[in-house]
Amino acid sequence: MAQTINIPRESTMQEIAKALNLIAVSQASASQEITSWAVIQQIVKQGMGQAVFPVGTQLKCSHSDYGEIVWDVAAHDYDKDPKGRNSHSMTLYTHNTIGSTQFDAAEALYCCDEGLSAGTYNFTIPESYEGAGTYQFTLANDLPEGGVICLTWSSGGALITTASVQTYTSLKDTEKIEEANVSAGSDGISLGMADGSETCLNDIQRAHYSCSNWKESNIRQYLNSRGEAGNIFTPQNKFDRPSNTLLTKAGFMSGFSEDFINAVGECEHTTVNNLNSKETYKTADRFYLPSVTEIFGANEAGTAEGSQFGYYVNSTDTEKIKYDGSGISPSGIWLRTPYTGSAASARIIDAKGTMAVYGTRFTARLAVACVIY
């Protein structure tokens, strides 16, 4: 059977030759000063990536929000082109952190399929959750079809009686219709049990803290968006709400040059289900957070999410530490792996370079991976 070989144009080969000569002069241990990501992409496609850019090599590009970003070559031929067009790839991982954000925002408590009339309503928190019991609130205004009810806890508050109800006309809306106090009681119409079993009533953990599901997370949506500031949020489930990052920032991808973005390919990754570690799902992303397996070589509750990046094989905890943009202060950074058994906690690399757990409604810093193919 005839084999198809993709041969670059002569001009491209000349650029590659110049790049190889530059590398030979500047030494492989230094940050590469190749100005064209298209050239880097061609080197990878031709199967020369591992020789030209060995694991640990650093490459640079600029971002409109984060300035110069330094990428470490983390692996070769690990991330695959899902369409099978390219057999070679080069995985990059930011050397330092590039900003901070919530993993996900607290979700809506109730999504209104048919609208609610003004009046008193109640809902029940299951015994497995703090503050178990039945609680009530009174709406002074009708809630339209598609409207949502959210819970906002007072600063540091954990008990439901420290929360208030806020209503909005839609999942995207940030201008509240009204706010009402919550108190213990079962007056009015029951909305049901807040354990995720109801069609319109959310799990109380997700309404209180947010969700550790990478597939539906705010952070994944931000990293893979090119939208303008204030216009990048699309609800990923019936109760999804936007974090401040999605409300105030342009999509992460919009900050790069076309030269860089055109070299970054989409790749698929496996992630553990946040409530059942025996189940996994796949997502296809241009930019992603690594997993526990990819950084630590460990499995979340016995389930693998890929394999360890070559960059981290036999690495120490100290070598896993990520620093802020100044390169001085160590930071906790998000991984995409959930802390299984919890709807609202995810794994992080802490400031000591060890694996830890952090609530997804809180803010941690970002270190991002992508693939060139």
Side-chain angles (χ1 to χ4, degrees):
M1 181 182 294
Q3 182 180 10
T4 300
I5 301 175
N6 295 319
I7 301 176
R9 293 177 301 177
E10 182 179 354
S11 60
T12 302
M13 290 300 296
Q14 290 173 353
E15 288 297 318
I16 292 174
K18 290 178 183 178
L20 293 173
N21 182 62
L22 178 59
I23 293 167
V25 172
S26 64
Q27 301 299 316
S29 60
S31 296
Q32 307 304 325
E33 297 298 333
I34 300 174
T35 57
S36 170
W37 283 91
V39 170
I40 294 173
Q41 183 182 36
Q42 283 294 334
I43 291 171
V44 172
K45 283 184 175 182
Q46 297 305 311
M48 296 185 289
Q50 194 158 355
V52 177
F53 308 113
V55 168
T57 299
Q58 292 185 340
L59 299 165
K60 300 176 182 178
C61 71
S62 295
H63 191 277
S64 59
D65 286 339
Y66 304 116
E68 182 180 78
I69 294 179
V70 177
W71 301 90
D72 293 322
V73 175
H76 286 281
D77 297 341
Y78 171 69
D79 287 310
K80 306 297 183 183
D81 176 358
K83 296 184 179 179
R85 296 161 298 183
N86 303 286
S87 57
H88 296 289
S89 69
M90 181 170 69
T91 300
L92 305 178
Y93 188 36
T94 51
H95 184 72
N96 292 321
T97 63
I98 54 170
S100 60
T101 184
Q102 291 174 290
F103 190 96
D104 198 50
E107 296 184 344
L109 174 69
Y110 186 84
C111 183
C112 204
D113 282 351
E114 299 179 353
L116 289 179
S117 300
T120 299
Y121 297 88
N122 69 75
F123 61 95
T124 301
I125 296 176
E127 292 183 1
S128 59
Y129 195 74
E130 58 189 330
T134 301
Y135 299 88
Q136 65 186 47
F137 58 91
T138 299
L139 299 180
N141 300 281
D142 293 346
L143 189 62
E145 179 182 342
V148 295
I149 299 173
C150 299
L151 288 171
T152 301
W153 269 256
S154 62
S155 179
L159 297 176
I160 186 68
T161 50
T162 68
S164 62
V165 159
Q166 295 179 334
T167 60
Y168 300 87
T169 58
S170 71
L171 287 168
K172 290 185 175 184
D173 200 7
T174 57
E175 294 291 331
K176 64 185 177 184
I177 300 171
E178 65 176 301
E179 186 167 357
N181 292 330
V182 174
S183 60
S186 57
D187 290 349
I189 299 171
S190 174
L191 298 178
M193 179 71 72
D195 61 0
S197 63
E198 304 283 350
T199 301
C200 294
L201 190 65
N202 202 359
D203 185 306
I204 189 64
Q205 285 193 72
R206 297 172 69 145
H208 186 176
Y209 291 118
S210 72
C211 181
S212 57
N213 184 331
W214 160 251
K215 183 177 182 179
E216 299 177 350
S217 67
N218 283 186
I219 200 170
R220 177 177 177 243
Q221 189 167 173
Y222 166 65
L223 290 176
N224 289 281
S225 172
R226 301 185 76 172
E228 298 177 352
N231 193 35
I232 66 175
F233 174 68
T234 300
Q236 301 298 297
N237 62 55
K238 187 168 185 172
F239 303 102
D240 199 20
R241 293 279 290 168
S243 65
N244 287 335
T245 297
L246 293 189
L247 292 173
T248 59
K249 285 183 174 293
F252 179 67
M253 289 177 58
S254 69
F256 292 109
S257 69
E258 287 296 313
D259 178 47
F260 177 71
I261 287 296
N262 289 339
V264 175
E266 185 177 77
C267 49
E268 291 185 344
H269 295 94
T270 298
T271 305
V272 170
N273 184 307
N274 63 344
L275 294 179
N276 184 346
S277 64
K278 303 304 179 185
E279 295 181 355
T280 61
Y281 59 86
K282 289 187 177 182
T283 52
D285 302 303
R286 301 281 292 280
F287 293 90
Y288 66 96
L289 302 181
S291 67
V292 161
T293 307
E294 289 163 339
I295 301 299
F296 292 95
N299 298 333
E300 178 63 20
T303 300
E305 300 167 293
S307 59
Q308 191 172 28
F309 289 163
Y311 186 81
Y312 288 105
V313 172
N314 298 322
S315 63
T316 65
D317 290 346
T318 299
E319 290 170 328
K320 294 183 180 72
I321 294 173
K322 291 290 186 183
Y323 294 84
D324 63 12
S326 67
I328 297 173
S329 300
S331 304
I333 61 168
W334 292 117
L335 299 174
R336 73 173 184 275
T337 303
Y339 176 56
T340 53
S342 169
S345 297
R347 294 293 186 179
I348 64 167
I349 305 173
D350 66 17
K352 297 179 181 179
T354 58
M355 180 170 48
V357 178
Y358 202 51
T360 48
R361 68 170 174 160
F362 299 118
T363 297
R365 293 189 68 83
L366 286 171
V368 182
C370 65
V371 61
I372 306 297
Y373 64 64

